[in-house]
Amino acid sequence: MGQSVREYLLTLCITAAVTYLLTGPVRKFAIVVGAMPEIRARDVHREPTPRLGGIAMFGGLCAGLLVAAHLTNLKGVFELSNEPRALLSGAGLIWLLGVLDDKWGVDALIKLGGQMIAAGVMVLQGLTILWLPVPGVGPVSLTPWQGTLLTVALVVITINAVNFVDGLDGLASGMVCIAAAAFFMYAYRIWYGYGLEAAAPATLFAAILMGMCLGFLPHNIHPARIFMGDSGSMLIGLVLAAGAISITGQVDPDAMRLFTGSVTATVHATVPVYIPLLLPLTVIAVPFADLVLAIVRRTWRGQSPFAADRGHLHHRLLEIGHSHSRAVLIMYFWSALIAFGAVAYSVNSVSMWFVLSIVGLSAVGLVLLLLPRFTPRVPHWAEGFVPPRYRRRRNRIAAAAREVAPEASCDAAAEPVGRVPAGVNGATAIGDRSRFTQQGATPGGGWEKKIRSSR
């Protein structure tokens, strides 16, 4: 087991390193080819940012699979299963579709068709749902058509859920990394805890997915230097769906032999994890909820479900007063709570400590949601060890304002003390973009720019 853990860690590190090293050149390439779309009204960033980050992530995926195929323990996954090749085929198609969309734009219905084709290619190569564990019944075998339709539906739902949540710097890559970590823990337990080799591909997919997200995240955290674009968001969504399909629809729950009794009892014992991973509602619960709410909201307004708007969960967090970084961290928190909570529930679903921990952490999350304007501060002696946003900068901002524009000091004093001028960050970042294109479009525009540069 120790040797396999080291091989997984090596695969993860190689994937992360290749993704990280490729992202810089990909950013320059995106700027050269003009893959920097203009800022839209629903965007949160304030200046054009290159896309095509999915090119680097796809390179990391290929590197991870290549390294794993030559390792002592992991190469058996490629010898006994065709699922890694199926994943690479589907990922290549969805990645190419995303690159075209990032550069020239692709119609929503065409993207939907491409997602279905990519899922169909994986099904043709064996990555499909063969049966479902149903509580009270046991494993239910599916016909080829039923398995194909369910697999395609799961892939499309997961891809679009991840794509919808990709609205803030570092949000999609961080949430999917959290989901992949929880998924890896579960899949690794199924493989080595119960000796089921059918769980090996899903474990490998989760490790590679973590590497892809970790390698890209340093370039994508706020303020982002590059976006993953549809070429990245659809790619990581497909990899996540492939792992869920592999372990949910191809691992026989009766082979776990948790009980010596009936198959029905075995299925009932594994339902807490198997059913959530079916759609997979635990590892991408927040993106899936955002997807459902967006479809209902747009349909209710008489719009297309694929019409873009500013009603996503991350937009609402900004509107109620959370900063960009705080909104991302809050969504990280809820994703980790749901994903790791499901994994813990699969290990011990009757522990009182587990229930109390989930309740306590949920209360903490609710408090964070209700205190959008609370910003912790540190003592003066510790300001050099924390990011600038946690330092006591009130006097420094006021002094810079008086130095640059003494006549504007009255206007500056009229604003709440310690608040950032309008149009800098927070909820104002999703408003009209015209004030960023013309200097002095708002009162005090010139000295506001100098204040920001002095921070």
Side-chain angles (χ1 to χ4, degrees):
M1 179 181 297
Q3 181 69 22
S4 62
V5 171
R6 288 193 292 270
E7 291 185 357
Y8 278 123
L9 183 60
L10 176 61
T11 303
L12 188 153
C13 292
I14 293 296
T15 304
V18 172
T19 303
Y20 178 81
L21 295 176
L22 286 179
T23 303
V26 167
R27 179 178 181 273
K28 296 180 180 179
F29 171 76
I31 295 175
V32 170
V33 299
M36 298 177 60
E38 297 181 356
I39 299 177
R40 301 160 297 185
R42 63 186 176 92
D43 289 334
V44 178
H45 58 284
R46 295 171 291 174
E47 59 183 14
T49 305
R51 294 186 179 180
L52 295 179
I55 295 179
M57 304 181 82
F58 183 74
L61 170 67
C62 296
L65 291 175
L66 181 62
V67 170
H70 292 82
L71 296 178
T72 304
N73 294 321
L74 296 185
K75 66 180 181 181
V77 177
F78 297 83
E79 297 173 353
L80 302 177
S81 173
N82 198 41
E83 293 182 12
R85 299 177 183 86
L87 171 66
L88 186 59
S89 301
L93 290 176
I94 206 70
W95 168 76
L96 181 60
L97 176 65
V99 170
L100 296 176
D101 182 59
D102 290 340
K103 179 60 179 73
W104 292 285
V106 177
D107 185 74
L109 293 179
I110 296 179
K111 285 198 295 185
L112 179 62
Q115 295 167 6
M116 298 174 67
I117 292 175
V121 169
M122 294 194 300
V123 170
L124 292 176
Q125 299 189 57
L127 186 55
T128 183
I129 298 177
L130 301 178
W131 55 69
L132 289 179
V134 180
V137 178
V140 176
S141 299
L142 301 178
T143 64
W145 277 107
Q146 291 174 338
T148 299
L149 292 177
L150 189 58
T151 302
V152 171
L154 176 59
V155 171
V156 172
I157 289 174
T158 308
I159 288 176
N160 286 280
V162 175
N163 192 21
F164 273 36
V165 82
D166 184 25
L168 295 180
D169 297 349
L171 182 58
S173 54
M175 291 181 65
V176 173
C177 184
I178 292 172
F183 192 88
F184 176 83
M185 294 173 60
Y186 171 72
Y188 188 85
R189 174 173 172 260
I190 297 298
W191 185 10
Y192 286 96
Y194 298 99
L196 300 181
E197 292 185 356
T203 311
L204 176 62
F205 297 166
I208 293 177
L209 182 57
M210 279 193 290
M212 295 166 60
C213 295
L214 289 175
F216 183 75
L217 194 58
H219 298 272
N220 191 233
I221 57 177
H222 184 69
R225 301 179 66 247
I226 185 174
F227 295 151
M228 67 173 66
D230 283 2
S231 58
S233 61
M234 292 196 299
L235 175 63
I236 60 178
L238 181 135
V239 177
L240 184 60
I245 292 169
S246 176
I247 201 169
T248 303
Q250 297 200 2
V251 175
D252 187 358
D254 188 38
M256 297 173 65
R257 301 188 182 279
L258 298 178
F259 297 96
T260 57
S262 63
V263 174
T264 301
T266 301
V267 174
H268 181 72
T270 58
V271 162
V273 175
Y274 271 106
I275 294 301
L277 284 176
L278 180 61
L279 281 181
L281 292 178
T282 56
V283 293
I284 57 166
V286 176
F288 183 79
D290 194 13
L291 171 65
V292 174
L293 292 176
I295 293 176
V296 172
R297 179 177 65 252
R298 295 166 184 174
T299 305
W300 182 264
R301 295 175 181 174
Q303 300 175 341
S304 169
F306 304 100
D309 59 16
R310 293 189 300 174
H312 292 290
L313 296 177
H314 50 270
H315 288 135
R316 296 184 181 275
L317 288 174
L318 295 177
E319 289 175 355
I320 66 177
H322 290 288
S323 66
H324 191 293
S325 300
R326 183 180 288 273
V328 171
L329 292 176
I330 287 175
M331 298 193 74
Y332 282 178
F333 173 84
W334 283 107
S335 297
L337 179 62
I338 296 173
F340 288 102
V343 175
Y345 185 60
S346 69
V347 177
N348 190 350
S349 60
V350 297
S351 174
M352 181 58 65
W353 288 107
F354 166 75
V355 176
L356 294 177
S357 299
I358 294 297
V359 173
L361 292 174
S362 299
V364 172
L366 292 176
V367 170
L368 293 176
L369 286 174
L370 297 177
L371 294 176
R373 300 188 183 279
F374 171 74
T375 302
R377 299 299 181 193
V378 298
H380 292 287
W381 58 269
E383 288 185 351
F385 303 97
V386 297
R389 61 179 176 272
Y390 297 128
R391 301 171 186 172
R392 301 178 184 275
R393 54 185 179 180
R394 178 182 310 173
N395 297 332
R396 180 159 49 87
I397 294 177
R402 288 193 298 268
E403 178 183 353
V404 176
E407 68 278 2
S409 59
C410 296
D411 295 336
E415 293 191 3
V417 179
R419 292 283 302 278
V420 181
V424 176
N425 66 0
T428 58
I430 62 174
D432 188 10
R433 305 295 172 183
S434 59
R435 59 176 175 272
F436 301 118
T437 58
Q438 298 179 1
Q439 183 175 356
T442 58
W447 63 266
E448 282 182 5
K449 181 178 180 181
K450 186 170 182 180
I451 293 175
R452 291 196 298 270
S453 63
S454 64
R455 293 181 185 176

